[in-house]
Amino acid sequence: MGVDANDQLYPLAFAIVEKETTDTWSWFLACIRCLVTQRTGLCVISDRHKGIMKAMNENGSGWEEPFAYHRFCIRHHASNINSKFKNRALKDLFSWTAFQHQSIKFNTGLAKINELNVQARADLDTLPLSKWSMCHGGALRYGIKTTNLAEVFNNVLKGARFLPITALVKVTFFRVNSYFVQRREFAKARIMEGLKFSPVVTKYVENNFEKAAHHKVEPFNSETGVYQVKTGRGQRTAGKGGHRHTVNLSKRTCTCNKFQIYHFPCSHVAAVCRTYNLTTDQFIDPHVIEEGTWSAKVQKDS
């Protein structure tokens, strides 16, 4: 499953195999590289199934870096931690830590994990942070944290799996085709209305502009596009606001890290655009534009 610009399912490929093994995963992923897409820089999010892990790391497979980047489903990882340590609080704390955008909050979470369970903290040290931490490897994820969407489509095809192979293929084809027909027409209608971005992205940017109305912008270097933004609480709950973040428009970064992770303006970038009458369109990644057929977000699930 892929993910489109509206954070909806984008079916990519299906295969019928005898069982899930290292060999079948290697064959399937090789077919995708050969027959579906040869583009580089893809982010593949999966559980840590041995077959997927081996296929992704195999030399010459086309899935090793920099051709593709493998990231772990945070929900699956949290479930594995719960299975091993039988501690729901530890599972929730791991999820909270992995979801954080800023390193200071991430480090706070790691410290709490260490206090709760030293072995769990040691286990995390054996894995690259980029594999499971949003603030360390989230830019390639485009905000996608789990393989939940792939599992949603598994449910769509749940009854079809017990059909004879010919009937199974037909059911899969027509259900997938209906997805493309509906969403193609929906995207065309939005484009005809002059709307360049998907509803999800539009809503996020509008919400960030509302937050930005309460922020204060201080220019550091207007020529290079560097500004400091002090956040205001506005209508948000107590404890929000009062923070300072540095925006660098030329490098397309913000110290909140949301700009880099989600690839569209955070409220701090929106505040700068609002203050200096800049259009936000130039700061939205092409992969989250409505007209785009593909997204640089690909999910694989076992």
Side-chain angles (χ1 to χ4, degrees):
M1 292 298 132
V3 183
D4 67 15
N6 202 36
D7 275 352
Q8 294 177 309
L9 289 171
Y10 190 101
L12 287 173
F14 301 85
I16 299 173
V17 296
E18 290 185 8
K19 57 183 178 179
E20 185 180 10
T21 65
T22 298
D23 288 340
T24 54
W25 268 115
S26 294
W27 169 79
F28 180 62
L29 290 173
C31 287
I32 290 178
R33 264 309 188 205
C34 178
L35 304 172
V36 179
T37 179
Q38 294 80 44
R39 66 181 296 174
T40 61
L42 291 173
C43 178
V44 180
I45 303 175
S46 79
D47 64 7
R48 296 173 63 191
H49 186 278
K50 292 181 179 179
I52 301 176
M53 297 287 285
K54 182 177 180 181
M56 293 297 297
N57 295 323
E58 189 175 358
N59 290 332
S61 67
W63 294 105
E64 69 273 36
E65 297 183 11
F67 303 106
Y69 299 84
H70 191 198
R71 299 292 183 258
F72 299 152
C73 170
I74 295 174
R75 184 181 62 82
H76 274 99
H77 200 154
S79 295
N80 291 340
I81 288 175
N82 190 48
S83 297
K84 181 174 182 178
F85 297 103
K86 312 298 182 184
N87 189 324
R88 182 59 183 268
L90 179 63
K91 173 186 175 182
D92 293 342
L93 181 57
F94 165 79
S95 296
W96 182 89
T97 303
F99 287 167
Q100 294 310 303
H101 304 110
Q102 299 176 41
S103 58
I104 187 170
K105 294 181 179 179
F106 174 80
N107 292 333
T108 298
L110 278 185
K112 290 181 178 179
I113 290 174
N114 191 65
E115 292 174 4
L116 191 59
N117 191 305
V118 175
Q119 184 56 52
R121 174 69 175 83
D123 286 356
L124 292 177
D125 283 339
T126 64
L127 301 171
L129 294 179
S130 60
K131 297 289 188 182
W132 58 273
S133 164
M134 291 298 290
C135 71
H136 291 91
L140 291 164
R141 289 177 177 258
Y142 280 71
I144 304 297
K145 303 176 178 70
T146 70
T147 59
N148 287 357
L149 284 178
E151 293 184 5
V152 166
F153 203 80
N154 283 341
N155 291 330
V156 172
L157 297 175
K158 195 171 184 180
R161 295 177 182 174
F162 299 99
L163 297 173
I165 289 181
T166 301
L168 168 59
V169 171
K170 286 184 177 180
V171 168
T172 301
F173 171 80
F174 284 107
R175 289 184 182 176
V176 169
N177 183 64
S178 67
Y179 268 64
F180 282 96
V181 170
Q182 294 170 10
R183 291 170 185 175
R184 185 184 300 113
E185 295 305 315
F186 178 71
K188 283 183 179 179
R190 287 183 63 83
I191 293 170
M192 292 296 293
E193 293 175 19
L195 302 171
K196 292 195 295 184
F197 308 112
S198 69
V200 165
V201 173
T202 300
K203 181 180 178 181
Y204 273 120
V205 173
E206 288 176 349
N207 288 343
N208 286 337
F209 254 90
E210 289 181 11
K211 294 179 184 178
H214 305 283
H215 297 347
K216 294 183 179 180
V217 179
E218 182 73 25
F220 278 5
N221 190 329
S222 299
E223 292 184 0
T224 58
V226 180
Y227 305 86
Q228 184 184 81
V229 179
K230 182 179 179 181
T231 60
R233 182 161 70 92
Q235 302 299 317
R236 293 182 291 168
T237 58
K240 296 289 186 179
H243 303 288
R244 287 181 171 82
H245 291 285
T246 301
V247 171
N248 190 320
L249 296 182
S250 61
K251 293 183 178 180
R252 303 174 75 91
T253 62
C254 178
T255 51
C256 77
N257 213 23
K258 292 180 181 178
F259 188 22
Q260 296 92 296
I261 289 175
Y262 295 102
H263 299 273
F264 50 76
C266 58
S267 65
H268 315 113
V269 173
V272 174
C273 292
R274 187 187 186 102
T275 302
Y276 294 96
N277 295 317
L278 302 175
T279 175
T280 56
D281 291 9
Q282 61 186 309
F283 302 115
I284 297 179
D285 189 285
H287 288 116
V288 295
I289 292 178
E290 184 74 59
E291 296 97 311
T293 304
W294 286 84
S295 167
K297 306 177 283 189
V298 177
Q299 294 181 320
K300 292 282 181 289
D301 186 28
S302 61

